[in-house]
């Protein structure tokens, strides 16, 4: 079965879900151009997600994807949290931020019963997961809704694990990809591969369609992925400059500056490795810190610093998510970009 038939889209192209940088507008524009638009759901409370779904239905009748996280919320670690606040204390003083303004709560929620209820009500064509899969009872509810199920794999072992649990297709997330790494079986970053090393391994080993993700930003990248056996592609960073995206002015400027040539995996902004443009916080603390609380608890203490710096026009404390290949990214409507990427398909 072709990926288009599986997903219900005209093109075997998925717009990667990008929490914090997009909403239904970008997803709907990609759908209308023939791709599969995605709505990132992990940072949305049920009422906000419902609003997004109603708005999406108002803009397109075409199939779309809802993306959820399936991480296990960590237990609070007061010792680690104290060390994290101590590491950030000089920045609070410099920026005049109040430590009392640090919010409580995780900030990002895993897929749960309330999310499953919305899937059952709105019946999206596709539901995708990051960081593995939810428990079997929740997964069965998604299946019964009629949605096709996708999930990210960063290693062959993860891809085989997903296949054994009955997903409909696997997203091969290469090391080049912007945003959070989807690894879930282990945290050893030395086992993470680039897209064009990971992709053929998965294509050869799986009986499912494999979707290439990471470092694909133009038709040449699409063609290369297809040549290596991908059934389709997932593209994220290239869409960050589209007018339909919610990418902040600071983030847009960084993406179009020489700074975008240097990205790194960092856990400073959320507690989990994610690829972004190197900024002051990453340079001074090191991109990976043992003090940062487990995902997603690191976010709360960063938020006041981010707000204070952004108010001064600085992205020094902001997560400027981006993949390693943004050189060909240009500001253009999402429809136009989708059609440009589609030129890479046979």
């Amino acid at each position: 079965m072709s990926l288009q038939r599986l997903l219900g889209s005209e093109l075997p192209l998925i717009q990667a879900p990008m929490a914090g940088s997009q909403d239904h507008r970008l997803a709907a524009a990609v759908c209308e151009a023939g791709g599969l638009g995605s709505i990132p759901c992990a940072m949305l409370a049920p009422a906000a997600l419902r609003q997004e779904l109603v708005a999406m239905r108002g803009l397109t009748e075409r199939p779309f994807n809802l993306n959820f996280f399936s991480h296990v919320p960590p237990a609070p670690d007061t010792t680690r949290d104290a060390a994290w606040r101590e590491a950030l204390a000089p920045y609070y003083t410099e920026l005049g931020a109040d430590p009392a303004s640090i919010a409580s709560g995780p900030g990002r929620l895993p897929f749960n019963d309330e999310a499953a209820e919305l899937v059952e009500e709105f019946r999206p064509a596709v539901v995708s997961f990051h960081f593995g899969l939810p428990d079997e009872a929740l997964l069965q509810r998604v299946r019964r809704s009629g949605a096709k199920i996708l999930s990210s794999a960063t290693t062959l072992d993860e891809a085989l694990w997903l296949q054994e649990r009955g997903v409909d297709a696997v997203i091969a997330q290469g090391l080049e990809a912007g945003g959070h790494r989807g690894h879930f079986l282990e945290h050893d970053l030395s086992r993470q591969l680039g897209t064009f090393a990971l992709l053929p391994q998965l294509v050869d080993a799986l009986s499912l369609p494999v979707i290439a993700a990471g470092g694909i930003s133009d038709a040449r990248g699409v063609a290369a992925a297809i040549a290596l056996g991908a059934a389709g592609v997932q593209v994220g960073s290239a869409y960050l400059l589209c007018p339909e995206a919610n990418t902040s002015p600071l983030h847009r400027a960084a993406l179009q500056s020489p700074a975008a040539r240097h990205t790194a995996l960092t856990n400073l902004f959320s507690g989990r490795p994610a690829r972004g443009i190197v900024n002051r916080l990453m340079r001074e603390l090191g991109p990976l810190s043992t003090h940062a609380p487990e995902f997603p608890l690191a976010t709360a203490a960063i938020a006041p610093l981010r707000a204070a710096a952004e108010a001064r026009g600085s992205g020094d404390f902001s997560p400027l998510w981006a993949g390693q290949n943004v050189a060909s990214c240009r500001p253009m409507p999402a429809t136009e970009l989708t059609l440009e990427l589609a030129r890479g398909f046979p």
Side-chain angles (χ1 to χ4, degrees):
M1 180 186 295
S2 70
L3 191 64
Q4 297 98 303
R5 185 176 175 187
L6 178 71
L7 304 179
S9 58
E10 294 177 17
L11 298 169
L13 185 153
I14 301 172
Q15 164 251 314
M18 298 177 290
S21 294
Q22 64 142 129
D23 59 18
H24 65 277
R25 294 178 304 132
L26 177 61
V30 173
C31 291
E32 286 297 295
L36 186 77
S38 303
I39 297 177
C41 304
M43 295 177 67
L44 298 176
L49 177 52
R50 175 179 291 278
Q51 290 180 344
E52 280 288 282
L53 289 167
V54 170
M56 184 72 171
R57 292 291 194 202
L59 290 179
T60 184
E61 296 181 354
R62 299 194 178 192
F64 60 88
N65 169 42
L66 295 183
N67 176 258
F68 297 93
F69 288 174
S70 48
H71 61 285
V72 177
D77 184 333
T78 55
T79 301
R80 194 166 177 179
D81 188 59
W84 183 228
R85 293 185 183 220
E86 182 178 352
L88 298 178
Y91 301 118
Y92 272 83
T93 300
E94 175 188 336
L95 295 171
D98 182 4
S101 65
I102 297 175
S104 59
R108 293 173 176 84
L109 299 173
F111 189 71
N112 56 23
D113 286 322
E114 291 178 301
E117 288 173 6
L118 287 168
V119 167
E120 290 163 340
E121 178 181 350
F122 285 88
R123 295 185 176 275
V126 179
V127 172
S128 64
F129 294 101
H130 215 45
F131 315 137
L133 293 169
D135 66 49
E136 186 60 28
L138 287 171
L139 203 59
Q140 285 295 347
R141 292 177 66 177
V142 176
R143 286 197 181 95
R144 287 195 296 269
S145 79
K148 300 302 181 183
I149 297 172
L150 315 181
S151 190
S152 300
T154 68
T155 65
L156 176 56
D157 287 342
E158 288 177 347
L160 293 170
W161 187 95
L162 293 171
Q163 178 172 261
E164 289 170 1
R165 283 153 182 82
V167 302
D168 295 290
V170 171
I171 300 164
Q173 189 195 30
L175 193 59
E176 302 96 326
H180 284 92
R181 303 298 303 148
H183 59 261
F184 58 91
L185 288 185
E186 61 176 75
H187 298 283
D188 181 358
L189 292 178
S190 71
R191 291 179 59 84
Q192 302 288 289
L193 301 177
T195 303
F196 296 114
L198 176 66
L199 175 60
Q201 293 186 32
L202 270 57
V203 169
D204 290 347
L206 302 184
S207 58
L208 301 174
V210 179
I211 300 158
I216 300 169
S217 63
D218 58 21
R220 294 173 300 173
V222 172
I226 299 302
L228 286 175
V233 299
Q234 178 171 281
V235 178
S237 297
Y239 283 102
L240 287 171
L241 294 178
C242 294
E244 297 92 342
N246 293 338
T247 315
S248 71
L250 285 171
H251 196 171
R252 288 178 188 271
L255 286 163
Q256 297 174 86
S257 75
R261 299 172 192 162
H262 186 194
T263 65
L265 294 179
T266 179
N267 66 344
L268 301 180
F269 299 103
S270 72
R272 188 181 182 96
R275 184 171 296 283
I277 297 170
V278 174
N279 59 8
R280 178 187 169 191
L281 185 69
M282 294 165 67
R283 285 192 298 269
E284 293 183 358
L285 293 188
L288 297 170
S289 172
T290 56
H291 296 314
E294 289 292 327
F295 177 87
L297 301 180
T299 304
I302 291 290
L305 299 175
R306 175 181 179 178
E310 288 183 352
R312 302 180 184 189
S314 169
D316 283 342
F317 297 87
S318 302
L320 304 172
W321 302 139
Q324 286 184 321
N325 181 21
V326 297
S328 59
C329 299
R330 305 187 310 277
M332 66 172 67
T335 296
E336 184 179 336
L337 173 57
T338 302
L339 296 177
E340 281 285 320
L341 291 164
R343 292 193 303 105
F345 295 118

